[in-house]
Amino acid sequence: YIDDIDFDSPGVSGYGFGIDLGASYNFLGCINVSAAILDLGFISWTKSSTTIATTDSEHNYGDFTNFDPDNYETYGDVFDLDLIQFQTEEKTKSRSTSLRSTLNLGAEYTLLNNKLGFGLLSSTQFTQPKAYSELTLSANYRPRNWFGATLSYSFLHSDFETLGIGLKLGPVFIGSDYLMTKSAGD
Protein backbone atom coordinates (compact mmCIF):
# COMPACT_ATOMS: atom_id res chain seq x y z
CA TYR A 1 0.00 0.00 0.00
CA ILE A 2 1.39 3.37 -1.05
CA ASP A 3 0.07 6.69 0.17
CA ASP A 4 2.93 9.14 -0.47
CA ILE A 5 2.65 9.61 -4.26
CA ASP A 6 0.24 12.17 -5.67
CA PHE A 7 -1.04 11.77 -9.21
CA ASP A 8 -2.24 14.74 -11.24
CA SER A 9 -5.75 14.72 -12.62
CA PRO A 10 -6.26 12.99 -15.98
CA GLY A 11 -5.34 14.96 -19.06
CA VAL A 12 -3.24 15.06 -22.18
CA SER A 13 0.39 14.21 -21.35
CA GLY A 14 1.76 14.81 -24.82
CA TYR A 15 1.26 13.86 -28.43
CA GLY A 16 2.60 11.26 -30.79
CA PHE A 17 2.40 9.52 -34.12
CA GLY A 18 2.36 5.85 -35.05
CA ILE A 19 1.89 3.82 -38.20
CA ASP A 20 1.63 0.13 -39.06
CA LEU A 21 2.89 -1.19 -42.41
CA GLY A 22 2.34 -4.66 -43.84
CA ALA A 23 2.06 -6.77 -46.95
CA SER A 24 1.11 -10.32 -47.88
CA TYR A 25 1.63 -12.38 -50.99
CA ASN A 26 0.18 -15.69 -52.18
CA PHE A 27 2.09 -17.82 -54.63
CA LEU A 28 1.45 -21.24 -56.10
CA GLY A 29 -2.07 -20.97 -54.68
CA CYS A 30 -1.05 -22.70 -51.45
CA ILE A 31 1.71 -20.61 -49.85
CA ASN A 32 0.98 -17.32 -48.14
CA VAL A 33 3.83 -15.13 -46.88
CA SER A 34 3.44 -11.90 -44.95
CA ALA A 35 5.48 -9.18 -43.28
CA ALA A 36 4.45 -6.30 -41.06
CA ILE A 37 6.10 -3.68 -38.92
CA LEU A 38 3.86 -2.32 -36.18
CA ASP A 39 4.04 0.79 -34.03
CA LEU A 40 6.56 2.82 -35.98
CA GLY A 41 6.49 6.21 -34.33
CA PHE A 42 7.08 8.28 -31.23
CA ILE A 43 5.46 9.98 -28.24
CA SER A 44 6.50 13.47 -27.20
CA TRP A 45 5.91 13.96 -23.47
CA THR A 46 5.34 17.41 -21.94
CA LYS A 47 7.67 18.47 -19.15
CA SER A 48 4.80 18.66 -16.64
CA SER A 49 3.83 15.03 -17.27
CA THR A 50 7.23 13.49 -16.48
CA THR A 51 8.39 12.66 -12.96
CA ILE A 52 11.63 10.92 -12.05
CA ALA A 53 11.78 8.73 -8.95
CA THR A 54 15.16 7.74 -7.49
CA THR A 55 16.64 6.14 -4.42
CA ASP A 56 20.25 5.79 -3.31
CA SER A 57 19.54 3.35 -0.51
CA GLU A 58 20.10 -0.43 -0.48
CA HIS A 59 17.27 -2.47 0.99
CA ASN A 60 16.99 -5.75 2.86
CA TYR A 61 13.61 -7.39 2.42
CA GLY A 62 14.44 -10.29 4.76
CA ASP A 63 11.82 -9.09 7.27
CA PHE A 64 9.10 -9.94 4.74
CA THR A 65 10.04 -13.56 3.95
CA ASN A 66 7.06 -14.83 6.00
CA PHE A 67 4.71 -12.05 4.91
CA ASP A 68 1.05 -12.92 5.51
CA PRO A 69 -1.16 -11.02 3.01
CA ASP A 70 -4.26 -11.66 5.16
CA ASN A 71 -2.64 -10.00 8.18
CA TYR A 72 -0.52 -7.25 6.61
CA GLU A 73 -1.47 -4.67 9.24
CA THR A 74 0.93 -6.30 11.72
CA TYR A 75 3.90 -5.43 9.48
CA GLY A 76 3.35 -1.67 9.54
CA ASP A 77 3.99 0.13 6.27
CA VAL A 78 5.21 -2.52 3.85
CA PHE A 79 6.44 0.06 1.36
CA ASP A 80 7.53 3.12 3.32
CA LEU A 81 8.85 5.80 0.94
CA ASP A 82 10.74 7.56 3.74
CA LEU A 83 12.43 4.31 4.81
CA ILE A 84 13.93 3.65 1.38
CA GLN A 85 14.68 7.34 0.75
CA PHE A 86 12.47 7.50 -2.34
CA GLN A 87 12.53 10.99 -3.84
CA THR A 88 10.66 12.45 -6.79
CA GLU A 89 11.56 15.43 -8.92
CA GLU A 90 9.87 17.13 -11.84
CA LYS A 91 11.57 16.77 -15.20
CA THR A 92 12.82 20.18 -16.37
CA LYS A 93 12.12 19.72 -20.09
CA SER A 94 9.91 17.75 -22.43
CA ARG A 95 11.20 14.53 -23.96
CA SER A 96 10.40 12.13 -26.80
CA THR A 97 10.41 8.35 -26.78
CA SER A 98 10.03 5.92 -29.64
CA LEU A 99 7.23 3.37 -29.67
CA ARG A 100 8.11 -0.28 -29.14
CA SER A 101 8.02 -1.41 -32.74
CA THR A 102 7.30 -5.03 -33.64
CA LEU A 103 8.38 -6.91 -36.77
CA ASN A 104 6.19 -9.87 -37.79
CA LEU A 105 7.21 -12.33 -40.52
CA GLY A 106 4.85 -15.18 -41.35
CA ALA A 107 4.24 -18.04 -43.74
CA GLU A 108 1.36 -20.52 -44.14
CA TYR A 109 1.08 -23.61 -46.29
CA THR A 110 -2.52 -24.59 -47.09
CA LEU A 111 -4.05 -27.92 -48.16
CA LEU A 112 -7.50 -29.21 -49.13
CA ASN A 113 -8.59 -26.06 -50.96
CA ASN A 114 -7.50 -23.75 -48.07
CA LYS A 115 -9.39 -25.76 -45.41
CA LEU A 116 -6.26 -26.89 -43.59
CA GLY A 117 -3.19 -24.74 -43.00
CA PHE A 118 0.14 -24.95 -41.21
CA GLY A 119 1.88 -21.71 -40.32
CA LEU A 120 5.01 -20.21 -38.82
CA LEU A 121 5.20 -16.69 -37.35
CA SER A 122 8.31 -14.87 -36.19
CA SER A 123 7.58 -11.84 -34.00
CA THR A 124 10.29 -9.49 -32.71
CA GLN A 125 9.53 -6.55 -30.43
CA PHE A 126 12.25 -3.92 -30.31
CA THR A 127 12.57 -2.80 -26.69
CA GLN A 128 15.42 -1.30 -24.73
CA PRO A 129 17.98 -2.60 -23.94
CA LYS A 130 17.42 -5.55 -26.30
CA ALA A 131 14.87 -7.11 -28.63
CA TYR A 132 12.34 -9.74 -27.57
CA SER A 133 11.58 -12.47 -30.14
CA GLU A 134 9.03 -15.29 -30.29
CA LEU A 135 8.47 -18.08 -32.81
CA THR A 136 5.00 -19.62 -33.18
CA LEU A 137 3.83 -22.71 -35.08
CA SER A 138 0.15 -23.09 -35.91
CA ALA A 139 -2.35 -25.56 -37.34
CA ASN A 140 -5.55 -24.04 -38.78
CA TYR A 141 -8.78 -25.79 -39.72
CA ARG A 142 -11.35 -23.79 -41.78
CA PRO A 143 -14.05 -26.14 -43.16
CA ARG A 144 -16.62 -23.31 -43.63
CA ASN A 145 -16.55 -19.51 -43.85
CA TRP A 146 -18.42 -19.25 -40.55
CA PHE A 147 -16.34 -21.83 -38.63
CA GLY A 148 -12.61 -22.15 -37.99
CA ALA A 149 -10.29 -23.49 -35.30
CA THR A 150 -6.62 -22.82 -34.62
CA LEU A 151 -4.03 -24.42 -32.37
CA SER A 152 -0.68 -22.69 -31.91
CA TYR A 153 2.53 -23.28 -30.01
CA SER A 154 5.04 -20.55 -29.12
CA PHE A 155 8.33 -21.91 -27.94
CA LEU A 156 11.23 -19.44 -27.62
CA HIS A 157 10.29 -17.68 -24.36
CA SER A 158 7.68 -20.09 -23.13
CA ASP A 159 10.19 -22.81 -22.24
CA PHE A 160 8.09 -25.32 -24.20
CA GLU A 161 5.22 -24.92 -21.71
CA THR A 162 2.59 -22.83 -23.55
CA LEU A 163 0.10 -23.12 -26.36
CA GLY A 164 -2.69 -21.06 -27.90
CA ILE A 165 -6.14 -21.91 -29.14
CA GLY A 166 -8.73 -20.03 -31.18
CA LEU A 167 -12.29 -20.63 -32.36
CA LYS A 168 -14.30 -18.66 -34.95
CA LEU A 169 -18.09 -19.00 -34.96
CA GLY A 170 -19.62 -16.60 -37.47
CA PRO A 171 -18.57 -13.05 -36.56
CA VAL A 172 -17.35 -14.10 -33.08
CA PHE A 173 -13.73 -15.06 -32.42
CA ILE A 174 -12.60 -16.44 -29.05
CA GLY A 175 -8.98 -17.24 -28.40
CA SER A 176 -5.92 -17.12 -26.24
CA ASP A 177 -2.32 -17.14 -27.37
CA TYR A 178 -0.73 -18.05 -24.05
CA LEU A 179 -2.39 -20.91 -22.18
CA MET A 180 -0.27 -22.47 -19.47
CA THR A 181 0.20 -26.21 -19.93
CA LYS A 182 2.39 -26.80 -16.86
CA SER A 183 1.72 -25.66 -13.31
CA ALA A 184 4.03 -23.08 -11.75
CA GLY A 185 5.03 -25.52 -8.98
CA ASP A 186 6.42 -28.19 -11.36
Side-chain angles (χ1 to χ4, degrees):
Y1 116 95
I2 301 171
D3 65 359
D4 288 358
I5 296 177
D6 294 326
F7 293 99
D8 292 335
S9 61
V12 177
S13 298
Y15 62 90
F17 174 80
I19 190 169
D20 299 337
L21 302 171
S24 64
Y25 183 73
N26 180 291
F27 60 94
L28 302 176
C30 62
I31 298 174
N32 297 307
V33 293
S34 61
I37 187 147
L38 310 175
D39 298 330
L40 279 174
F42 68 95
I43 298 177
S44 181
W45 304 95
T46 61
K47 69 179 180 178
S48 64
S49 67
T50 303
T51 301
I52 299 173
T54 60
T55 182
D56 294 327
S57 175
E58 291 193 22
H59 313 291
N60 179 359
Y61 298 106
D63 296 338
F64 301 106
T65 55
N66 296 317
F67 182 71
D68 179 8
D70 296 325
N71 193 19
Y72 69 89
E73 290 87 3
T74 61
Y75 292 91
D77 289 334
V78 172
F79 190 71
D80 186 346
L81 296 176
D82 294 328
L83 177 67
I84 62 172
Q85 300 167 8
F86 196 58
Q87 301 167 356
T88 62
E89 60 185 67
E90 290 292 321
K91 189 80 170 164
T92 58
K93 60 181 181 175
S94 62
R95 64 187 178 97
S96 291
T97 58
S98 62
L99 298 178
R100 293 181 179 154
S101 298
T102 302
L103 174 65
N104 291 329
L105 301 172
E108 182 185 32
Y109 179 73
T110 60
L111 302 163
L112 304 173
N113 201 23
N114 201 32
K115 291 184 176 152
L116 186 62
F118 299 96
L120 179 66
L121 174 68
S122 170
S123 183
T124 302
Q125 185 178 53
F126 300 99
T127 59
Q128 296 297 328
K130 62 181 185 174
Y132 173 84
S133 296
E134 188 60 82
L135 196 58
T136 303
L137 295 171
S138 69
N140 312 296
Y141 181 56
R142 306 174 282 259
R144 302 277 186 251
N145 285 340
W146 59 269
F147 176 77
T150 298
L151 186 63
S152 66
Y153 187 69
S154 299
F155 53 88
L156 290 184
H157 290 283
S158 62
D159 295 327
F160 297 98
E161 298 175 354
T162 60
L163 62 93
I165 191 166
L167 184 64
K168 177 188 183 281
L169 295 168
V172 177
F173 178 80
I174 301 170
S176 174
D177 63 350
Y178 218 68
L179 297 174
M180 301 304 271
T181 59
K182 188 174 181 183
S183 68
D186 290 343

